[in-house]
mmCIF file of all heavy atoms in Angstrom:
data_model
loop_
_atom_site.group_PDB
_atom_site.id
_atom_site.type_symbol
_atom_site.label_atom_id
_atom_site.label_comp_id
_atom_site.label_asym_id
_atom_site.label_seq_id
_atom_site.Cartn_x
_atom_site.Cartn_y
_atom_site.Cartn_z
ATOM 1 N N GLY A 91 -8.556 22.475 -10.534
ATOM 2 C CA GLY A 91 -9.466 22.218 -11.602
ATOM 3 C C GLY A 91 -8.742 22.585 -12.963
ATOM 4 O O GLY A 91 -7.719 23.347 -12.881
ATOM 5 N N SER A 92 -9.112 21.929 -13.997
ATOM 6 C CA SER A 92 -8.465 22.126 -15.276
ATOM 7 C C SER A 92 -8.540 23.493 -15.758
ATOM 8 O O SER A 92 -9.513 24.303 -15.352
ATOM 9 C CB SER A 92 -9.036 21.177 -16.368
ATOM 10 O OG SER A 92 -10.383 21.550 -16.647
ATOM 11 N N VAL A 93 -7.657 23.996 -16.577
ATOM 12 C CA VAL A 93 -7.725 25.321 -17.139
ATOM 13 C C VAL A 93 -9.057 25.576 -17.908
ATOM 14 O O VAL A 93 -9.648 26.594 -17.763
ATOM 15 C CB VAL A 93 -6.477 25.485 -18.204
ATOM 16 C CG1 VAL A 93 -6.726 26.696 -19.025
ATOM 17 C CG2 VAL A 93 -5.222 25.540 -17.378
ATOM 18 N N SER A 94 -9.453 24.635 -18.624
ATOM 19 C CA SER A 94 -10.799 24.685 -19.376
ATOM 20 C C SER A 94 -11.971 25.015 -18.288
ATOM 21 O O SER A 94 -12.876 25.760 -18.553
ATOM 22 C CB SER A 94 -11.009 23.601 -20.252
ATOM 23 O OG SER A 94 -11.106 22.323 -19.475
ATOM 24 N N ALA A 95 -11.892 24.235 -17.204
ATOM 25 C CA ALA A 95 -13.028 24.448 -16.283
ATOM 26 C C ALA A 95 -12.794 25.801 -15.628
ATOM 27 O O ALA A 95 -13.819 26.560 -15.372
ATOM 28 C CB ALA A 95 -12.779 23.322 -15.163
ATOM 29 N N GLN A 96 -11.582 26.278 -15.375
ATOM 30 C CA GLN A 96 -11.450 27.587 -14.759
ATOM 31 C C GLN A 96 -11.975 28.622 -15.683
ATOM 32 O O GLN A 96 -12.679 29.613 -15.195
ATOM 33 C CB GLN A 96 -9.914 27.853 -14.542
ATOM 34 C CG GLN A 96 -9.260 27.004 -13.512
ATOM 35 C CD GLN A 96 -7.743 27.231 -13.464
ATOM 36 O OE1 GLN A 96 -7.267 28.391 -13.424
ATOM 37 N NE2 GLN A 96 -7.020 26.144 -13.444
ATOM 38 N N LYS A 97 -11.740 28.570 -16.935
ATOM 39 C CA LYS A 97 -12.247 29.587 -17.923
ATOM 40 C C LYS A 97 -13.737 29.542 -17.935
ATOM 41 O O LYS A 97 -14.333 30.597 -17.950
ATOM 42 C CB LYS A 97 -11.703 29.212 -19.271
ATOM 43 C CG LYS A 97 -10.147 29.581 -19.426
ATOM 44 C CD LYS A 97 -9.649 29.349 -20.814
ATOM 45 C CE LYS A 97 -8.185 29.577 -20.873
ATOM 46 N NZ LYS A 97 -7.683 29.271 -22.313
ATOM 47 N N LEU A 98 -14.387 28.369 -17.811
ATOM 48 C CA LEU A 98 -15.824 28.313 -17.770
ATOM 49 C C LEU A 98 -16.282 29.028 -16.496
ATOM 50 O O LEU A 98 -17.365 29.797 -16.560
ATOM 51 C CB LEU A 98 -16.201 26.898 -17.702
ATOM 52 C CG LEU A 98 -16.469 26.150 -18.961
ATOM 53 C CD1 LEU A 98 -16.785 24.574 -18.812
ATOM 54 C CD2 LEU A 98 -17.524 26.771 -19.893
ATOM 55 N N PHE A 99 -15.698 28.841 -15.374
ATOM 56 C CA PHE A 99 -16.046 29.412 -14.164
ATOM 57 C C PHE A 99 -16.170 30.892 -14.255
ATOM 58 O O PHE A 99 -17.153 31.541 -13.789
ATOM 59 C CB PHE A 99 -15.094 29.113 -13.032
ATOM 60 C CG PHE A 99 -15.280 27.686 -12.496
ATOM 61 C CD1 PHE A 99 -14.401 27.135 -11.510
ATOM 62 C CD2 PHE A 99 -16.197 26.807 -12.881
ATOM 63 C CE1 PHE A 99 -14.362 25.891 -11.021
ATOM 64 C CE2 PHE A 99 -16.300 25.521 -12.518
ATOM 65 C CZ PHE A 99 -15.385 25.010 -11.530
ATOM 66 N N PHE A 100 -15.084 31.513 -14.860
ATOM 67 C CA PHE A 100 -15.009 32.960 -14.913
ATOM 68 C C PHE A 100 -15.787 33.575 -16.077
ATOM 69 O O PHE A 100 -15.993 34.741 -16.070
ATOM 70 C CB PHE A 100 -13.568 33.400 -14.820
ATOM 71 C CG PHE A 100 -12.871 33.207 -13.540
ATOM 72 C CD1 PHE A 100 -12.130 32.102 -13.260
ATOM 73 C CD2 PHE A 100 -13.156 34.254 -12.493
ATOM 74 C CE1 PHE A 100 -11.536 31.901 -12.004
ATOM 75 C CE2 PHE A 100 -12.501 34.036 -11.271
ATOM 76 C CZ PHE A 100 -11.782 32.829 -10.978
ATOM 77 N N GLN A 101 -16.125 32.760 -16.966
ATOM 78 C CA GLN A 101 -16.968 33.299 -18.082
ATOM 79 C C GLN A 101 -18.474 33.324 -17.797
ATOM 80 O O GLN A 101 -19.231 34.071 -18.413
ATOM 81 C CB GLN A 101 -16.762 32.338 -19.363
ATOM 82 C CG GLN A 101 -15.415 32.506 -20.096
ATOM 83 C CD GLN A 101 -15.131 31.431 -21.065
ATOM 84 O OE1 GLN A 101 -15.917 30.509 -21.267
ATOM 85 N NE2 GLN A 101 -14.097 31.557 -21.839
ATOM 86 N N HIS A 102 -18.850 32.502 -16.757
ATOM 87 C CA HIS A 102 -20.313 32.400 -16.411
ATOM 88 C C HIS A 102 -20.483 32.614 -14.936
ATOM 89 O O HIS A 102 -20.715 31.734 -14.180
ATOM 90 C CB HIS A 102 -20.876 30.997 -16.840
ATOM 91 C CG HIS A 102 -20.616 30.667 -18.276
ATOM 92 N ND1 HIS A 102 -21.499 31.020 -19.205
ATOM 93 C CD2 HIS A 102 -19.615 29.990 -18.910
ATOM 94 C CE1 HIS A 102 -21.088 30.598 -20.440
ATOM 95 N NE2 HIS A 102 -19.953 29.994 -20.212
ATOM 96 N N THR A 103 -20.315 33.939 -14.487
ATOM 97 C CA THR A 103 -20.513 34.213 -13.098
ATOM 98 C C THR A 103 -21.794 34.905 -12.825
ATOM 99 O O THR A 103 -22.561 35.304 -13.695
ATOM 100 C CB THR A 103 -19.353 35.130 -12.652
ATOM 101 O OG1 THR A 103 -19.714 36.509 -13.117
ATOM 102 C CG2 THR A 103 -18.015 34.666 -13.079
ATOM 103 N N ASN A 104 -22.153 34.881 -11.475
ATOM 104 C CA ASN A 104 -23.376 35.584 -11.070
ATOM 105 C C ASN A 104 -23.209 37.089 -10.842
ATOM 106 O O ASN A 104 -24.122 37.658 -10.254
ATOM 107 C CB ASN A 104 -23.915 34.877 -9.711
ATOM 108 C CG ASN A 104 -22.910 35.069 -8.599
ATOM 109 O OD1 ASN A 104 -21.770 35.543 -8.690
ATOM 110 N ND2 ASN A 104 -23.456 34.787 -7.381
ATOM 111 N N THR A 105 -22.143 37.671 -11.352
ATOM 112 C CA THR A 105 -21.870 39.070 -11.183
ATOM 113 C C THR A 105 -22.694 39.899 -12.236
ATOM 114 O O THR A 105 -23.132 39.244 -13.253
ATOM 115 C CB THR A 105 -20.353 39.473 -11.281
ATOM 116 O OG1 THR A 105 -19.977 39.149 -12.586
ATOM 117 C CG2 THR A 105 -19.552 38.591 -10.276
#
Side-chain angles (χ1 to χ4, degrees):
S92 68
V93 167
S94 59
Q96 294 175 45
K97 290 180 177 179
L98 275 175
F99 287 175
F100 287 98
Q101 287 169 354
H102 303 274
T103 74
N104 64 347
T105 67

